[in-house]
Amino acid sequence: MLTYIIRRILYAVPIVIGVNVLTAVLFFYVNTPDDMARKTLGEKNVTPAAIENWKRDHGYNLPTFLNAKETGVSTVTQTIFFQKSVPLLWFDFGRSDRNNIDIGGEIKKRMWASLAVSIPMFLIGILIDLTFAMILAYYRGTYLDIWGVVLAVIMMSVSTLFYIIGGQFVLGKVLKMFPVSGYDTGLYSVKFVILPVIIGIIGGIGVGVRFYRTVFLEEINKDYIRTARAKGLSEARVLFKHALKNAMIPVLTNVVVSIPFLFYGSLIMETFFAIPGLGNFTIDAIQSQDFAIVRSMVYLGSILYIIGLILTDISYTLVDPRVRFE
Amino acid sequence: MSTPVIQVKDLKTYFQTPKGVAKAVDGVSFEIPKGGTFALVGESGCGKSVTALSLIQLVPEPAGYIAGGEILLNGRDIAGLTEREKRAIRGNKISMIFQEPMTSLNPVFTIGDQIMETIRLHQRKTSAEARTLAMEMFGKVGLPNPESLINEYPHRLSGGMRQRVMIAIALSCKPDLLIADEPTTALDVTIQDQIIELIREVKESTGTAILLITHNLALVYRNAGTVGVMYAGKIVELTATKNLFRNPMHPYTVKLLRSIPGGEKRGKALDTISGTVPPATSYPAGCHFSGRCPREMEGCASVYPELTERAAGHTVACHLHDPEFMAGGNSKPLRHEPDALPPLTAPYAEREVLLDVRALKTHYPVRKGLFKKITGFVKAVDGIDLTVRKGATLALVGESGCGKTTAGKSIIQLIRPTAGEILFKGSDLARMDERTIKPFRSLIQIIFQDPYSSLNPRLMIKDTIEEGIKVLKPGLGKAERERKITEVLDRVGLTPDMMYRYPHEFSGGQRQRIGIARALAVDPEFIVCDEAVSALDVSVQAQILNLLKSIQRDFGLSFLFITHDLSVVEYIADEVAVMYDGKIVERNSTVEIFSNPVHDYTKKLLAAIPKIDEELVKLWKLPGK
């Protein structure tokens, strides 16, 4: 087991380095520091001297990957890539281009707001989706099942924006049950979090229920389910004991990979509800053309995805006895 | 006489389908006494398994339902019970084992959990007592080390061991009736023999009645007391096993029996049944076998022949045995197939060597540890020598895991062998690269086992066949390719218009014909048949074997027949090589192998095949003049 995890993490090392290089190419080569300076200083009426000043102030006045003017190790270290991108490997995100704030510190501060919304949304959401999916699978082929699937398809076809705006209007403005948007610190945040959580869950129900129902139905037609029935077990026992544990295997792939992203929050939800989380942070950075923050968040997203994949592989070995570690 | 354990009276199980009501079981009656074995035989889709599921009250709802009849368990009708009462019977009074031991156990629970679940459901036992009983049952079914096995997951067990676990679960509550639905079909021949022996022991020691469902007639001959031959939802012949095999009376039974391959039929065509089982939504009004019957008469399709006793203890549903019907005006023959089978011999004069395999080795590396270092090799094929002669068939036999499929794939270079020579017409295929081997690819073809998964479902038959011609015969133009496809489809007994259809529109037998057509389309000289007839019903298998024999005769083809089915080998092969653990343990002509096996393993294999006595085979004649 331990060897397996170590090997899995070792496999991730070259991928992380590759992601780092690709991010650098995207942000320093495709989109050069000159472009960044121009976008920040205004496209028109900008003098070459102003661009050079901006680049020097923000540390972009070096060659991208190789510095021919230097000798020895410095040819590699005195570059934008080494100064700006390589430190990401040990999560040193540097400072933002615009307000010179510490990006790492900001991420640490803001992720709690993201988690306050995403964790309850994730956990309660899965529980509700699984429950509805099991009910539909139990009553498969009946009108309840058919109309349940129709409803799920309708719900997944409606845009998330509709749920957000509709929810804010009905539950927030008309019924005055929750504040429409905003955030507070500590326990005071609870009343601000409830509305986005409810809306997030409703928005995801269609896709979730439909997917989990399909997974359950696939398991229900397996041979071992027939064996379980032939033993004289009740349908509920067959479904909740024998089918559920097997259905967890495909469910896990879908779910575990997204766990690290809970830190990241949701771009749209956080913007609409004015939650000061990482999603909001990213959107603001995009709007203000702060490439240092955007680059950090893109890189962080890739890293979280890689962690998600590793966690998925490890969780397989826990639920499926057929997966071996060798 | 005491009450039979189970009495089935006029059972009807129907399914609601978009095409109308499918009468899967359409009025079936039989009974099984305590300690008796009743066998239901027939082709796939005849309603055997649905009958079994009806008895254990597991017809798939809501589409399927019991439309009529009675099922009496120890004299008590169980069809009308509540779901709760039915559950108390399932797994307790009536239990069932299935065809697929590999998938019939839940992969995420230990086998101990799975047997104890049944025990605690039906018996008042503490978990410690259930555990003791579980281990006792494992011991009874011949599983080694019950104490450690009880904590194992199913994937750690072989197919034969899993079937033993299934039997242990089924017997743990001492059922009155054990339903065995094709219990050995998916297993190796020696394991089959052990499982059948185990079921027999159980029956003798406990008096459990057994319903055996199988298409293997030799198995029935060896094990069942009474047989019901089922065809299209009805039992068409019902009698003691010895009567059935001595004097089969229904034309369907005779046809079925004569389609079994075996040594005594070498050089002759196997008997086949034309057409397919009619769909359960549209049976003929009269005899369901009308339309396929070799001795059909004018009234057969309209008048239903009732199941009637026509000889002592021998009931049959056929007008040919009804003196009244035969005297009437409906008995004018519509069809009269000759009784004698046509000869089908491949010319065996040319004996020059086509393929010579010398010291072939295919090893797979085993990797372990943090850095996946190679720690050893699986010697799948470990130095085998084979010779295939022109126009002849060499059978490579052995149990699963012995390396025979790897050997076949290595010979045709689908897998690169580790060492050895493969001399095809004098050239060594093992030394060639992708470019130099290309001219040989069209001469060497393969036909796979599973006709369902080996055709691409998204490609029309024409495209599947044409793909091979395009690659291997690039000189041919579009019109020539199409002519070739028409020609090969016609040769394998399909019509040319079928080339525009997709695989799902064909039956298993037809798909295997398509597989043969695909191989034939590039003018091969040598075909590897990897378990090519193993997945087919015996009647369909006979058609495909006849087809293979006739194309061998017409094109002078050589076959390497990879199989575990020895009765097929005895029928079709000229020479046999027996493989065990990556090595060839015995090589000889078929006649020699079957009459004087030398190696112990060969002897063991031969002893394990259930056989029907040869003198009986000669008695199987179609009824009527």
Side-chain angles (χ1 to χ4, degrees):
Chain A
M1 180 75 185
L2 194 66
T3 355
Y4 176 77
I5 294 172
I6 293 173
R7 195 169 57 237
R8 207 57 200 75
I9 291 170
L10 286 181
Y11 279 150
V13 170
I15 302 174
V16 170
I17 294 171
V19 165
N20 193 311
V21 172
L22 276 179
T23 319
V25 168
L26 202 63
F27 282 88
F28 302 133
Y29 201 76
V30 177
N31 180 60
T32 61
D34 282 35
D35 296 336
M36 284 194 255
R38 249 185 230 107
K39 275 176 188 141
T40 318
L41 299 169
E43 297 282 342
K44 293 173 190 170
N45 309 324
V46 57
T47 59
I51 292 178
E52 283 310 314
N53 279 339
W54 185 90
K55 277 162 68 176
R56 195 184 56 242
D57 292 348
H58 292 91
Y60 291 117
N61 56 343
L62 295 166
T64 318
F65 288 108
L66 272 180
N67 194 338
K69 287 182 199 146
E70 304 282 335
T71 49
V73 188
S74 300
T75 51
V76 183
T77 57
Q78 290 303 312
T79 59
I80 298 178
F81 174 69
F82 197 84
Q83 301 284 327
K84 295 274 181 183
S85 201
V86 172
L88 291 177
L89 289 176
W90 46 90
F91 298 104
D92 177 358
F93 295 102
R95 296 196 158 264
S96 75
D97 290 340
R98 231 171 235 277
N99 304 324
N100 202 33
I101 51 168
D102 170 26
I103 300 175
E106 195 68 12
I107 289 174
K108 263 183 221 150
K109 206 165 70 197
R110 282 171 171 261
M111 71 182 191
W112 298 108
S114 288
L115 288 173
V117 178
S118 57
I119 288 183
M121 197 158 93
F122 175 76
L123 291 179
I124 303 172
I126 287 179
L127 218 62
I128 290 179
D129 291 358
L130 280 177
T131 313
F132 279 123
M134 291 253 259
I135 292 171
L136 294 190
Y138 188 89
Y139 292 104
R140 63 196 168 279
T142 64
Y143 282 109
L144 181 73
D145 178 34
I146 294 165
W147 287 110
V149 172
V150 169
L151 187 67
V153 171
I154 292 173
M155 288 185 74
M156 62 193 266
S157 314
V158 174
S159 156
T160 322
L161 292 176
F162 175 84
Y163 294 116
I164 294 175
I165 297 167
Q168 283 180 327
F169 182 74
V170 177
L171 299 176
K173 192 153 184 258
V174 177
L175 298 174
K176 299 209 186 309
M177 291 166 77
F178 314 104
V180 172
S181 71
Y183 196 73
D184 207 340
T185 46
L187 276 179
Y188 297 106
S189 66
V190 172
K191 67 174 177 182
F192 290 101
V193 159
I194 295 176
L195 187 60
V197 166
I198 291 177
I199 289 170
I201 290 170
I202 291 176
I205 267 186
V207 180
V209 168
R210 239 179 61 90
F211 172 69
Y212 297 138
R213 175 183 165 277
T214 315
V215 170
F216 281 129
L217 287 187
E218 191 165 306
E219 288 306 320
I220 280 172
N221 291 320
K222 294 267 172 79
D223 285 346
Y224 67 83
I225 292 293
R226 184 183 57 187
T227 309
R229 293 208 180 102
K231 283 172 169 182
L233 299 175
S234 66
E235 186 63 18
R237 185 96 175 261
V238 169
L239 215 57
F240 289 95
K241 186 179 169 194
H242 287 263
L244 181 62
K245 198 165 174 198
N246 280 283
M248 284 319 285
I249 298 167
V251 168
L252 273 177
T253 7
N254 202 40
V255 164
V256 175
V257 76
S258 59
I259 288 178
F261 277 93
L262 297 179
F263 288 97
Y264 211 90
S266 152
L267 299 184
I268 299 173
M269 298 288 273
E270 290 187 4
T271 313
F272 271 83
F273 289 95
I275 308 280
L278 289 178
N280 209 335
F281 186 49
T282 313
I283 293 280
D284 282 350
I286 293 171
Q287 271 163 359
S288 63
Q289 306 266 334
D290 193 323
F291 290 100
I293 298 176
V294 177
R295 185 164 50 82
S296 303
M297 294 309 288
V298 167
Y299 176 75
L300 184 65
S302 315
I303 299 304
L304 291 176
Y305 190 62
I306 293 167
I307 295 173
L309 291 177
I310 295 177
L311 288 180
T312 307
D313 282 354
I314 293 171
S315 63
Y316 270 149
T317 64
L318 298 177
V319 289
D320 192 344
R322 286 165 294 185
V323 176
R324 280 175 298 169
F325 308 121
E326 282 93 49
Chain B
M1 213 176 107
S2 62
T3 332
V5 171
I6 198 109
Q7 278 173 289
V8 178
K9 293 181 181 170
D10 201 27
L11 175 71
K12 290 182 173 145
T13 307
Y14 294 172
F15 287 83
Q16 210 60 256
T17 73
K19 287 183 184 162
V21 176
K23 300 175 175 178
V25 178
D26 193 21
V28 159
S29 308
F30 60 88
E31 54 182 55
I32 313 174
K34 194 169 159 45
T37 301
F38 178 77
L40 267 182
V41 298
E43 292 167 280
S44 313
C46 278
K48 306 183 303 266
S49 288
V50 177
T51 306
L53 290 174
S54 306
L55 292 194
I56 198 164
Q57 307 282 335
L58 275 180
V59 179
E61 287 169 332
Y65 57 98
I66 293 182
E70 287 174 30
I71 300 164
L72 304 177
L73 177 69
N74 296 317
R76 167 171 169 243
D77 190 3
I78 58 170
L81 297 181
T82 63
E83 184 54 32
R84 179 183 279 272
E85 289 168 318
K86 283 176 188 171
R87 286 210 303 267
I89 291 172
R90 251 180 243 149
N92 189 18
K93 299 284 172 213
I94 302 178
S95 54
M96 189 158 175
I97 55 175
F98 301 94
Q99 175 172 4
E100 294 296 339
M102 301 309 274
T103 53
S104 289
L105 290 165
N106 193 330
V108 300
F109 293 105
T110 63
I111 59 170
D113 282 342
Q114 297 189 53
I115 185 172
M116 286 189 280
E117 185 179 35
T118 311
I119 294 171
R120 298 202 62 194
L121 185 71
H122 297 293
Q123 303 175 37
R124 269 173 205 281
K125 279 201 166 28
T126 63
S127 109
E129 287 167 344
R131 202 182 162 79
T132 318
L133 178 59
M135 286 196 282
E136 192 185 310
M137 290 310 301
F138 283 166
K140 256 188 200 159
V141 297
L143 286 167
N145 304 322
E147 304 79 29
S148 59
L149 211 59
I150 203 159
N151 295 320
E152 286 290 2
Y153 287 95
H155 71 270
R156 310 256 300 175
L157 276 56
S158 67
M161 280 168 88
R162 289 189 213 187
Q163 197 61 300
R164 283 173 194 268
V165 172
M166 283 297 290
I167 294 173
I169 294 175
L171 295 176
S172 59
C173 297
K174 301 195 175 60
D176 296 324
L177 175 68
L178 174 69
I179 302 171
D181 188 357
E182 304 273 10
T184 61
T185 310
L187 301 171
D188 268 327
V189 57
T190 53
I191 311 293
Q192 274 183 19
D193 191 43
Q194 293 167 14
I195 295 292
I196 285 297
E197 194 51 45
L198 174 65
I199 294 176
R200 194 188 348 229
E201 276 167 26
V202 162
K203 186 185 75 173
E204 274 157 20
S205 63
T206 61
T208 300
I210 288 168
L211 172 59
L212 176 67
I213 292 176
T214 181
H215 67 265
N216 185 339
L217 290 151
L219 204 68
V220 172
Y221 175 70
R222 288 286 170 204
N223 296 285
T226 317
V227 190
V229 179
M230 214 168 160
Y231 183 77
K234 298 263 192 194
I235 288 184
V236 295
E237 187 163 2
L238 179 71
T239 183
T241 305
K242 58 178 194 311
N243 288 341
L244 188 92
F245 283 86
R246 191 157 293 280
N247 178 26
M249 291 172 83
H250 198 284
Y252 177 64
T253 315
V254 176
K255 281 287 207 178
L256 212 52
L257 286 169
R258 295 209 303 204
S259 61
I260 313 171
E264 61 285 342
K265 292 171 190 163
R266 282 174 68 89
K268 279 188 240 160
L270 291 169
D271 207 349
T272 59
I273 310 172
S274 56
T276 49
V277 183
T281 44
S282 52
Y283 292 138
C287 176
H288 291 182
F289 194 49
S290 62
R292 295 180 80 189
C293 181
R295 294 287 155 91
E296 190 173 342
M297 296 172 291
E298 270 179 356
C300 285
S302 51
V303 184
Y304 187 78
E306 288 302 326
L307 192 62
T308 319
E309 187 162 352
R310 299 293 180 194
H314 197 147
T315 54
V316 59
C318 180
H319 292 309
L320 287 162
H321 299 284
D322 183 357
E324 228 172 278
F325 184 94
M326 295 305 285
N330 271 336
S331 64
K332 217 175 123 204
L334 274 183
R335 212 175 299 125
H336 192 94
E337 276 181 24
D339 211 29
L341 294 166
L344 181 60
T345 31
Y348 199 49
E350 274 182 306
R351 299 276 295 181
E352 64 181 281
V353 171
L354 179 75
L355 174 82
D356 198 5
V357 176
R358 290 182 198 157
L360 177 71
K361 282 185 187 172
T362 305
H363 294 180
Y364 296 116
V366 181
R367 291 166 193 274
K368 274 212 176 101
L370 191 57
F371 298 102
K372 299 237 163 181
K373 270 198 295 197
I374 296 174
T375 52
F377 289 93
V378 173
K379 298 176 177 175
V381 178
D382 196 23
I384 61 168
D385 301 298
L386 292 173
T387 311
V388 181
R389 292 170 202 282
K390 219 169 172 179
T393 302
L394 170 72
L396 184 59
V397 301
E399 293 179 286
S400 35
C402 74
K404 57 187 192 301
T405 292
T406 307
K409 288 185 176 166
S410 304
I411 289 169
I412 67 168
Q413 300 292 307
L414 284 181
I415 300 173
R416 284 290 179 165
T418 314
E421 290 172 30
I422 300 161
L423 300 169
F424 183 79
K425 295 177 131 182
S427 323
D428 188 358
L429 301 179
R431 297 274 169 282
M432 293 183 187
D433 58 28
E434 270 313 311
R435 202 175 45 80
T436 45
I437 205 169
K438 205 161 173 195
F440 290 92
R441 289 273 187 213
S442 78
L443 301 178
I444 303 170
Q445 287 291 310
I446 185 164
I447 303 167
F448 296 101
Q449 168 170 17
D450 194 336
Y452 287 92
S453 57
S454 53
L455 289 172
N456 187 334
R458 307 257 182 279
L459 288 185
M460 278 193 294
I461 300 316
K462 171 176 178 283
D463 299 328
T464 295
I465 300 175
E466 197 173 23
E467 200 174 31
I469 308 178
K470 270 186 190 161
V471 175
L472 298 174
K473 301 249 160 205
L476 293 184
K478 195 169 184 298
E480 283 166 306
R481 286 201 299 265
E482 218 145 286
R483 200 173 57 238
K484 187 81 199 173
I485 296 169
T486 312
E487 191 185 300
V488 289
L489 283 178
D490 186 55
R491 186 63 197 80
V492 298
L494 298 171
T495 55
D497 60 290
M498 288 179 177
M499 72 167 91
Y500 297 107
R501 295 197 200 158
Y502 288 91
H504 71 268
E505 297 172 69
F506 295 93
S507 69
Q510 284 176 321
R511 288 182 211 204
Q512 206 53 300
R513 286 174 193 271
I514 294 166
I516 295 170
R518 184 194 55 72
L520 278 185
V522 292
D523 304 319
E525 292 182 20
F526 171 59
I527 297 182
V528 174
C529 304
D530 189 359
E531 300 278 11
V533 296
S534 305
L536 304 171
D537 258 331
V538 65
S539 55
V540 180
Q541 175 183 291
Q543 295 171 4
I544 299 296
L545 288 175
N546 285 346
L547 174 63
L548 287 172
K549 270 278 190 195
S550 72
I551 59 174
Q552 177 169 57
R553 177 193 57 197
D554 297 351
F555 299 105
L557 291 175
S558 309
F559 290 142
L560 175 64
F561 220 88
I562 299 173
T563 183
H564 67 272
D565 189 336
L566 287 156
S567 54
V568 170
V569 170
E570 196 179 5
Y571 168 70
I572 200 166
D574 300 302
E575 286 169 290
V576 182
V578 182
M579 196 160 172
Y580 180 72
D581 204 12
K583 294 194 164 69
I584 301 286
V585 294
E586 189 166 355
R587 259 169 80 183
N588 214 329
S589 75
T590 307
V591 181
E592 271 302 303
I593 288 264
F594 278 83
S595 52
N596 298 311
V598 178
H599 196 274
D600 283 343
Y601 180 69
T602 314
K603 288 180 188 164
K604 198 175 123 196
L605 269 185
L606 290 175
I609 13 172
K611 285 207 72 167
I612 302 170
D613 294 338
E614 264 183 51
E615 55 272 27
L616 290 178
V617 176
K618 296 180 192 109
L619 299 174
W620 299 338
K621 295 267 185 314
L622 287 167
K625 300 227 165 79

